[in-house]
Structures are given as structure tokens and as C-alpha cells.
Amino acid sequence: MSKPVEGFNQKSSEGAPEEPKSSSRLSLTRFTRAKKSNQVSSGAPEEDTFDPSVHKSKPSRSSSLQKYFTSRRATEVFGSQKNTISLNVRRAEMKRARRSAILTRVGIAFAAVLLVTVVVWAVFFSPFFALTASKIKISGLNEDVTAEVVEEKLAGFVDVPLPRISMNAARSEVESIAQVDAAEITRAWPDGLNVKITVRTPMAAEKSDEGYNVIDREGVVLRSSSDVPESLPIVEVKIESQEQRAAAVARVATVKDELPAELSQQITVYTAYPTSVEMRTLDGRIIKWGDESDSQLKAQVLKLLLDQRPAQVYDVSTPARPVTS
């Protein structure tokens, strides 16, 4: 086996001309085109070949369209960059306006609550409307009911604001005075009361252990006296029960009201029984009246009898059949 001659190989290799790089690229291109033409002529399916230079130089059509329509849509919706900045400013202004409106509403609500609180305190708890003792005006007084007695009953309401004073409670306090029949109380702003009372009217005097008690038509004791009260008749109640006693005294008051004035002045003592009334005149004559029914007719019959038929006892309990003895 023969060995290659080193000098010859080196010479041939060194002496051979260098093939340019472009020739290899050109050969590859020609080969690819020839292969495509053979495939077309033979009817074989064309194979996909990747040409870096081609793909690199031609951008994707879909990506270009997407970029175009995206930028166009953004411009249509938001406008130019200048319009976009203006829109952001407008949004910030609207946000500040909403915040300002909320703060305004909160401030108004707080001010309203504060105002209501101040008004409630001023009216119901402050001394501006507190009742002053010197501003209590009382009318309808007599010798049985004095201003001092009424003011004492209302002392618990002094220094209390008028809106907090119950007129019913104040009226009950005044009407608890025995000599007061009724009371009417109204507020006198800002710090007073107007009190109008109706006192009980003395009707007769009732004998007691200490002397005499002046009573009204309901049997309420108005005052006491050691002597017989002037211009008042005496009432003797022959009843133990307190409930029946009040009804008997009321019956006497009804009979007294029905008597003519000239006859009423002659009566000195009324005696009340459970169902009837008797009277005694100044000269000691007895009148049996019965109950309070037909009082006007009884008064007419009694007047005729006193004028025409002198007697010690006159019984007109049945006015159609009077009896004298």
C-alpha cells in the first residue's frame, strides 16, 4: 500500500483556489428551486421549506392589522393623548365634587342634630323656661283659700322648666286643697303659671266636738269655728256612714235651694235622715219635708199652710195630702 506524498498534498491544497462563500449559498438556492420545479412537474406535494431570510424580512399581516385597529380604536374612544389627559382631569374633578358633596351633607346633618340638641336643652332643661314662684298668678281666692296655701301646693314645680310641668299634676295638687272645688291652670311663658280656682261655697254649719264645722253642699269641711257662724243654718246629720252622710248633706242643699228666700231665712236647723229632711224655724215649728222630690210643689203648699193654718208641725212629704198638727 502506497502512502500519499505529503508534499504533493500540501501543494495541491495550498495551491487550490479558495471557493467563495456566495457560491455555496447560490448552489443551495438553485437546488431548492430545482427541487420545487421537479415536485410541481411530478405532481408530488410541495414540502414546506423554511427560508430565514424570507421570514425575517416579511412581518405577520395579522399582527400588523391588530396593531392598526387597536391604535385606531383607542383613538376613537379616548381621542388623542391631549384628550385623554383632559378626561383624567375631569374624572379627578368629579371625584373631588362627589367628596365635597358628601362632606357637605354630613356637615348639614351634624349641624341639624346640634341645633335640635340645643333647642331641646334650652326648652326642657335650661333655666330660661324654669317656673319662678313670683310669676305664679292666682285668681278666685277668698277667706278660706289664701295665695300662700296655693303657692305651697305648687312649690314642688318651682325651678322646673314649663314644658316639663304636667298641667294635670299641678291641677291635682291645687284641687287637693279641701276648700277648692276646681282649678284651671295654664302656662304663662316664659316662666309663669296662671291659676284660676273655684272655691267651695259654705252651705251650713255642722256641730262638732270643738265647736262648729262650716261645710259645703257635699259635706266637705271648709273651716272650723268655736262659735256659730253667722248667716249659716245648722245641719244635723243623723247618719253614721260617711257615704250616706255625703248624700244626705247633698239632699239638704237641694231642699235649701228650692225654698223661697223669705222661707229659707226662717229656717235655723236642717236635720238630715237617710231618706228625708226635717227643718226647724226660728219660732220652733217643725217642717217634715221628706225627700228632695217635688220640692217646688212642696214649697208652694208649705207657704200656704204657714199663712193660713197655724200649727206646730207641718208635713208636706206628700204635697197632695199635707198634714198639720
Side-chain angles (χ1 to χ4, degrees):
M1 184 174 182
S2 62
K3 296 181 180 180
V5 180
E6 295 180 357
F8 178 80
N9 291 337
Q10 291 177 354
K11 184 177 181 179
S12 59
S13 61
E14 292 177 356
E18 184 178 357
E19 186 177 359
K21 295 180 181 181
S22 60
S23 61
S24 61
R25 292 180 181 176
L26 182 61
S27 300
L28 179 60
T29 303
R30 289 177 180 177
F31 175 77
T32 302
R33 291 178 180 176
K35 187 176 181 179
K36 286 184 180 180
S37 61
N38 293 334
Q39 289 177 351
V40 171
S41 60
S42 62
E46 182 180 0
E47 293 182 0
D48 293 335
T49 58
F50 177 76
D51 189 350
S53 61
V54 174
H55 285 277
K56 183 176 181 180
S57 61
K58 295 183 179 180
S60 173
R61 181 179 180 83
S62 61
S63 63
S64 300
L65 292 175
Q66 182 178 4
K67 291 181 180 178
Y68 171 75
F69 285 110
T70 302
S71 60
R72 183 185 180 92
R73 180 62 176 167
T75 304
E76 291 178 354
V77 174
F78 300 105
S80 63
Q81 183 178 5
K82 182 178 181 180
N83 294 336
T84 303
I85 296 174
S86 177
L87 180 60
N88 292 334
V89 173
R90 182 59 182 267
R91 287 177 176 173
E93 291 178 352
M94 292 176 63
K95 187 175 182 179
R96 287 194 298 270
R98 286 195 297 269
R99 186 183 300 111
S100 177
I102 293 174
L103 293 176
T104 301
R105 294 191 186 98
V106 172
I108 293 174
F110 178 77
V113 171
L114 181 61
L115 178 61
V116 171
T117 303
V118 171
V119 171
V120 170
W121 175 83
V123 173
F124 290 94
F125 300 98
S126 73
F128 299 115
F129 297 100
L131 178 62
T132 304
S134 59
K135 297 296 182 65
I136 300 176
K137 307 301 181 182
I138 307 171
S139 61
L141 300 173
N142 66 358
E143 60 179 346
D144 296 325
V145 182
T146 62
E148 290 75 12
V149 175
V150 178
E151 291 174 356
E152 183 180 354
K153 289 293 183 179
L154 296 175
F157 300 99
V158 175
D159 295 332
V160 177
L162 290 186
R164 292 171 53 193
I165 297 177
S166 171
M167 295 297 101
N168 291 333
R171 183 175 61 252
S172 298
E173 287 292 330
V174 176
E175 290 179 350
S176 66
I177 302 172
Q179 294 84 358
V180 175
D181 185 28
E184 181 180 349
I185 302 178
T186 57
R187 296 179 178 89
W189 298 98
D191 57 353
L193 289 178
N194 291 327
V195 182
K196 182 180 180 181
I197 63 175
T198 302
V199 298
R200 296 179 181 273
T201 304
M203 188 271 297
E206 183 181 12
K207 190 171 180 57
S208 66
D209 297 336
E210 291 80 15
Y212 295 89
N213 293 329
V214 178
I215 62 174
D216 71 341
R217 61 186 307 114
E218 296 178 0
V220 176
V221 178
L222 305 182
R223 61 180 183 271
S224 299
S225 175
S226 58
D227 300 327
V228 178
E230 297 181 0
S231 69
L232 289 179
I234 304 299
V235 172
E236 296 177 353
V237 181
K238 305 295 184 179
I239 300 172
E240 297 297 333
S241 172
Q242 291 296 324
E243 295 179 359
Q244 293 182 354
R245 178 182 178 280
V249 173
R251 187 179 301 112
V252 170
T254 301
V255 172
K256 183 175 180 293
D257 293 340
E258 295 294 337
L259 292 176
E262 56 186 25
L263 181 57
S264 178
Q265 294 174 0
Q266 299 180 30
I267 306 300
T268 58
V269 178
Y270 290 87
T271 303
Y273 295 96
T275 59
S276 63
V277 175
E278 285 188 2
M279 295 174 283
R280 185 162 61 245
T281 63
L282 290 172
D283 54 7
R285 289 181 290 182
I286 304 299
I287 301 171
K288 295 183 178 183
W289 192 266
D291 58 20
E292 66 272 26
S293 63
D294 299 326
S295 293
Q296 292 184 354
L297 179 58
K298 291 176 181 179
Q300 295 174 1
V301 173
L302 178 60
K303 188 175 183 304
L304 291 175
L305 293 175
L306 291 174
D307 293 340
Q308 299 176 6
R309 188 178 300 180
Q312 185 63 32
V313 178
Y314 297 85
D315 188 349
V316 293
S317 56
T318 305
R321 297 189 298 273
V323 177
T324 60
S325 59

